Amino acid sequence: MSELSKPEEDFQDPGEAQGPVNAQLLGAEAGVAASASASSPTVSSLGTGESLPQEALNEMIASLMKFLLLKYRAKEPTSQAEMLNKVLRDNQEYFPVVFSQASQCLQLVFGVEVKEVDPREHIYIMVSILGLSCNAMLSSGQSIPKAGLLVLVLNLIMRNGDRAPEEKVWGALSRLGVYAGSVHCIFGEPRTLLTHVWVQEGYLEYRQVPYSHPARYEFLWGPRAYAETSKWEIMAFLLRVKQRALRAFPLQSAEAAREDDEAD
């Protein structure tokens, strides 16, 4: 995506205290998430009725995600006017669909929720979903929001009687392109993240199944997960996500539901 190769100065205010952000990494994160939202070859503008190629739409979604992630890291609010001026520019008529899909991708992939705090002025803030504070650190000291993946793992554990066999977790995550031992452009090396980082942070427990020969392992909720969220909050959040997806992409959502049932 050519839009993602542009320097991040376009999306940063002068003198921002956070310092430079790795634009290449942000581009990879946003590009993967935006491409995951593709559902049709063209999208119509609500204002003009003109169609827009999905590739062009994905570029706008990726650019908006990049902008919102920068705001999240800087702990700064933003506004609809700022997003229109700095990101969409000559494509402002597509704002409703771009903003909606970018917000959904941020929730599902990064665990970042876009909340409107001033409906009159359309001011938004970005917060970690469900209050989860997990953020893996880059070598540069900057954090990558990963609560979205953690929520999926916590849900897998819940759906398997509060203890999920390791092979079942990796089997489910592989359907999302996340493989143990294979470096992911967003999540890094997932096995290290799940079995070391989140275990040390208290979000997960990773232990040998008692009396298993050869040894098998399983995941459980860790004490910090219980402290920062709850099973009810996880289920309510995922239900809201599924309902929005069903309204936006009914056919794809029905197929995904059937695959989930078959996997169980």
Side-chain angles (χ1 to χ4, degrees):
M1 294 183 181
S2 58
E3 181 68 24
L4 298 176
S5 63
K6 294 181 179 180
E8 69 274 15
E9 284 83 348
D10 287 350
F11 300 145
Q12 285 184 290
D13 295 327
E16 190 168 80
Q18 289 293 317
V21 176
N22 188 319
Q24 183 178 6
L25 177 60
L26 271 176
E29 294 169 350
V32 169
S35 63
S37 71
S39 61
S40 61
T42 62
V43 174
S44 295
S45 165
L46 297 178
T48 65
E50 296 180 358
S51 61
L52 181 74
Q54 185 68 48
E55 183 178 356
L57 178 70
N58 284 349
E59 288 192 9
M60 284 187 274
I61 295 171
S63 295
L64 184 56
M65 288 177 64
K66 176 180 175 181
F67 174 79
L68 293 173
L69 283 171
L70 286 167
K71 289 291 185 179
Y72 172 80
R73 288 189 173 123
K75 298 181 179 179
E76 293 179 352
T78 188
S79 66
Q80 179 175 325
E82 186 179 30
M83 287 183 272
L84 291 172
N85 181 53
K86 291 191 174 182
V87 183
L88 293 188
R89 298 170 182 164
D90 297 330
N91 297 286
Q92 297 187 5
E93 67 270 25
Y94 296 101
F95 177 79
V97 65
V98 171
F99 179 73
S100 175
Q101 293 196 27
S103 299
Q104 288 184 41
C105 288
L106 285 176
Q107 275 195 334
L108 293 172
V109 179
F110 300 98
V112 174
E113 187 171 4
V114 183
K115 286 189 173 183
E116 188 173 34
V117 293
D118 186 341
R120 176 175 296 182
E121 298 295 330
H122 299 295
I123 305 296
Y124 300 88
I125 60 172
M126 278 59 67
V127 297
S128 181
I129 58 173
L130 305 177
L132 293 167
S133 56
C134 60
N135 280 323
M137 301 300 293
L138 295 174
S139 58
S140 62
Q142 296 166 342
S143 62
I144 304 175
K146 298 183 179 181
L149 181 65
L150 178 58
V151 165
L152 294 179
V153 175
L154 294 175
N155 181 56
L156 284 170
I157 295 170
M158 289 166 49
R159 292 176 60 178
N160 285 274
D162 294 335
R163 56 188 71 233
E166 180 179 22
E167 60 272 16
K168 194 153 191 176
V169 171
W170 294 121
L173 294 183
S174 68
R175 295 166 58 194
L176 304 176
V178 178
Y179 303 95
S182 178
V183 177
H184 191 275
C185 65
I186 298 173
F187 305 119
E189 204 292 284
R191 182 182 293 280
T192 299
L193 180 63
L194 268 65
T195 64
H196 294 285
V197 177
W198 283 343
V199 168
Q200 292 175 355
E201 292 179 350
Y203 287 109
L204 298 175
E205 287 187 18
Y206 178 67
R207 69 185 188 187
Q208 182 177 344
V209 176
Y211 312 112
S212 60
H213 301 287
R216 294 183 293 107
Y217 292 84
E218 61 186 4
F219 288 98
L220 296 85
W221 278 41
R224 190 171 174 182
Y226 282 108
E228 292 188 358
T229 189
S230 68
K231 296 177 182 179
W232 183 88
E233 289 177 312
I234 293 284
M235 289 188 293
F237 168 75
L238 292 175
L239 179 61
R240 291 197 304 271
V241 170
K242 286 184 178 181
Q243 288 174 338
R244 284 196 295 267
L246 184 61
R247 288 194 296 268
F249 313 114
L251 178 59
Q252 290 83 352
S253 297
E255 292 174 350
R258 284 197 298 271
E259 290 178 0
D260 284 342
D261 292 338
E262 292 172 0
D264 290 340

